[in-house]
Amino acid sequence: MFSTVLIANRGEIALRVARTCRELGIRTVAVCSDPDRESAVTRFVDECVRIGPAAPRRSYLNAAAVITAALQVGADAVHPGYGFLSEDPDFAEICETAGLTFVGPSSSLLAKLGDKARAREIAREAGLPVLPGSPETLETVGQAKSVAAAIGYPVIIKAVAGGGGRGMTVVRDPRDLSGAFLEARAGAQAAFGDARLYAERYLENARHIEVQILGDGEGEVVQLGERDCSVQRRRQKLLEETPAPGLPRELADRICAAAVHSARELDYAGAGTYEFLVDQDGGFYLMEVNCRIQVEHPVTELVTGVDLVREQLRVAAGYGLSIRQEDIAPRGVSIECRVNAEDPERGFLPTPGVVEEFSAPGGPFVRVDTHGFPGLRVTADYDPLLAKVAVWAPDRRQAIERADRALGEFRVAGRGMSTTREFLREVLADATFRAAKHTTGLVGDLKPAEVRRTGARRASCPS
Amino acid sequence: MSDEPASSTENTLEELCLRTVELIDATSGPLKSVRLQRGDTSIEVEWPDLARVTPPALDATAVPVPVADVAPVPVAGAAPPQTPDAARPGDSFVVEAPLVGTFYRAPSPGSRPFVEVGDIVEEGQQVAIVEAMKLMNAVSAERSGRVVEVLVNDAVPVEYGEPLLVLASA
């Protein structure tokens, strides 16, 4: 196993990775930006190197600074977490050149799957269903118009280099297309340094179902079940659960098998997620493949008992997977709620500030992944995620009650700061959600103020 | 999910996007940030200042002392103490590492250091190198002054923002 791992990330995921490293007896090194010098992870790890100022481009996205830090401390591997450099093929390649093991798929695989337009083609060739879309990237407004007309409205315009719900625009009316196209192009250039776009049919009332896979890089791939991440705002997830409720097991198994088939063809190494949209007729379509650990991985860990970060490290170190498909027997239900420093009443606008009160929930079958503490300064430079509250229970009804109980006892507050905590409780209480009839449109349908007024709408859960 | 632009602001937005794309196309080099605003129409484009050196302020903990207390320049060769937090004489300021890397006092092994304690340096004058990924990055004094202390030994790894030298304003 590795002797020293540098964690090229921040926040809760950096701490999450550091914890598994410590359990494996690996020395942990964090990198941090100026404002993160006194963070939860810098206090936890064995060593920390300050690599730049607050701006991500000069710190957590600065490959040269991260590699220099890794070489300074004598690290033999770099774990990239999620976001930042985690799916950057150039970064993976620089690691390889510098003699550092990148914990993740090879740079060539990252290049293939990170280009969302190319990933679509690879998936199509492997027999995975994809939504009708542009065969190549869109260069001009005129081209976008004709492609969109051929696909049929509504369409979703996506950045080739996008991901994590960012860099997407839905267009319902052909008259809005040119404005949306130009806006998306400027946005993609600014956010990802890559202005290329592609278009796909947009499914209005679909469910977001994704499959967690692990590959050993030599053709062996296992799946750890699916996750339902349909509770989203602006195409970013708020609440995730496994197994997918109300989804016929036979359909879920077919989706999982499709992901495994594709990952085998790619000799996938490490942890990955195949994201699908499932329509009301049971049709499923690949959206993208995420070549990293996901934010919502704890729900899979809670029902399978598999430490996904440990498997990532094992594969990267050449030990292969510790589990075979027949060892994976998911049990019960797990739900994760993302408590963000955002105001649901104002379109989930981030609310930076200083956390004055912070007391995380606990009790039976509650897992909280957080970097929060009283005094934590939440800035606009980074993701507003404060904590992931994940619970396990034998069935969905108990899991919902447990999640609500945990969110209820979570005390997190600061001047000027709002969180999604109460909104998540409204979701848990919503009749459509409880009946597992919800789609990605749920949050848009749940007008926060309205929900508050009709708060008594708590329905009995058919479980 | 209803974050589609309202039709009344559509034209402004489209115009804004067009202008921004033009602006980006017309320039070279990586961007630091782009900020669009719909309200009163504004575009902000920021480029990284690659030659960035020292943050202007000295340590917040440094206590200014009266001019009369300004100590004479220490004799060269004194061991560099690692006490960046201690009060510095007079109007002193710290040159910090602009990036993570290896600190070098001289342009090449065996050659004379860029500066010695007691030297007067001009604003913008190179005082050290921080090497990262085999790239030699010049570290310059942001203001003119007299070198009071070199805080880091030659060829030692430094992190971003680490105090390297103390200068007293000339």
Side-chain angles (χ1 to χ4, degrees), chain A residues 126-463:
Chain A
L128 278 180
V130 294
L131 286 163
S134 47
E136 52 204 11
T137 56
L138 305 169
E139 303 297 332
T140 62
V141 174
Q143 193 192 355
K145 275 184 175 160
S146 62
V147 166
I151 295 171
Y153 286 86
V155 297
I156 183 162
I157 298 176
K158 299 187 184 185
V160 164
R166 287 165 358 114
M168 304 183 191
T169 313
V170 176
V171 185
R172 294 189 170 79
D173 188 325
R175 284 171 298 177
D176 298 336
L177 188 78
S178 61
F181 177 82
L182 293 170
E183 186 185 359
R185 193 165 69 175
Q189 177 65 47
F192 313 112
D194 182 345
R196 290 176 303 146
L197 303 172
Y198 70 106
E200 245 176 32
R201 163 78 61 72
Y202 180 62
L203 283 186
E204 209 66 75
N205 288 305
R207 289 176 66 179
H208 175 118
I209 305 288
E210 60 184 33
V211 181
Q212 176 69 57
I213 57 117
L214 284 170
D216 68 358
E218 283 157 22
E220 186 49 38
V221 173
V222 298
Q223 51 90 1
L224 294 96
E226 79 285 357
R227 294 184 286 255
D228 185 321
C229 313
S230 302
V231 181
Q232 310 183 348
R233 45 97 179 122
R234 277 181 272 116
R235 287 165 285 286
Q236 293 188 325
K237 300 159 191 166
L238 274 177
L239 182 151
E240 305 95 346
E241 62 181 300
T242 186
L247 191 73
R249 196 61 243 165
E250 173 273 328
L251 176 56
D253 287 343
R254 271 198 292 136
I255 298 173
C256 290
V260 169
H261 172 73
S262 162
R264 281 218 172 101
E265 301 241 309
L266 294 165
D267 285 339
Y268 196 93
T273 297
Y274 278 70
E275 297 194 336
F276 297 91
L277 282 175
V278 179
D279 67 20
Q280 282 148 325
D281 307 320
F284 63 93
Y285 309 94
L286 182 78
M287 274 192 297
E288 60 185 55
V289 185
N290 291 324
C291 302
R292 53 169 161 82
I293 194 80
Q294 303 260 124
V295 177
E296 59 274 23
H297 75 277
V299 294
T300 299
E301 294 187 329
L302 286 173
V303 297
T304 60
V306 175
D307 180 337
L308 293 169
V309 173
R310 183 168 180 268
E311 297 302 319
Q312 283 188 300
L313 291 164
R314 281 184 59 97
V315 170
Y319 288 83
L321 298 170
S322 74
I323 38 161
R324 294 158 302 169
Q325 189 65 58
E326 53 266 38
D327 301 326
I328 300 164
R331 194 172 144 260
V333 170
S334 180
I335 298 178
E336 178 190 88
C337 300
R338 297 193 193 185
V339 178
N340 296 334
E342 292 173 343
D343 188 352
E345 306 264 354
R346 288 188 295 152
F348 294 94
L349 205 71
T351 55
V354 177
V355 177
E356 282 150 13
E357 187 183 15
F358 191 92
S359 175
F365 306 104
V366 175
R367 165 178 169 176
V368 182
D369 285 39
T370 182
H371 60 297
F373 58 89
L376 172 72
R377 184 177 292 274
V378 180
T379 71
D381 293 302
Y382 309 115
D383 192 280
L385 180 65
L386 282 173
K388 308 187 305 203
V389 177
V391 301
W392 181 90
D395 61 46
R396 186 164 189 255
R397 199 185 65 163
Q398 284 186 61
I400 289 173
E401 282 162 4
R402 184 161 281 153
D404 184 64
R405 186 269 295 169
L407 289 173
E409 69 180 72
F410 194 173
R411 296 170 73 89
V412 50
R415 217 171 310 133
M417 181 181 284
S418 300
T419 76
T420 50
R421 188 183 68 98
E422 276 303 321
F423 182 78
L424 289 160
R425 298 185 75 189
E426 305 293 355
V427 171
L428 291 168
D430 178 71
T432 313
F433 174 78
R434 291 203 154 212
K437 301 277 187 223
H438 60 292
T439 67
T440 51
L442 178 75
V443 173
D445 298 341
L446 273 177
K447 299 279 187 295
E450 238 174 71
V451 172
R452 200 129 309 140
R453 260 181 272 117
T454 58
R457 202 163 61 134
R458 192 173 282 257
S460 62
C461 179
S463 145

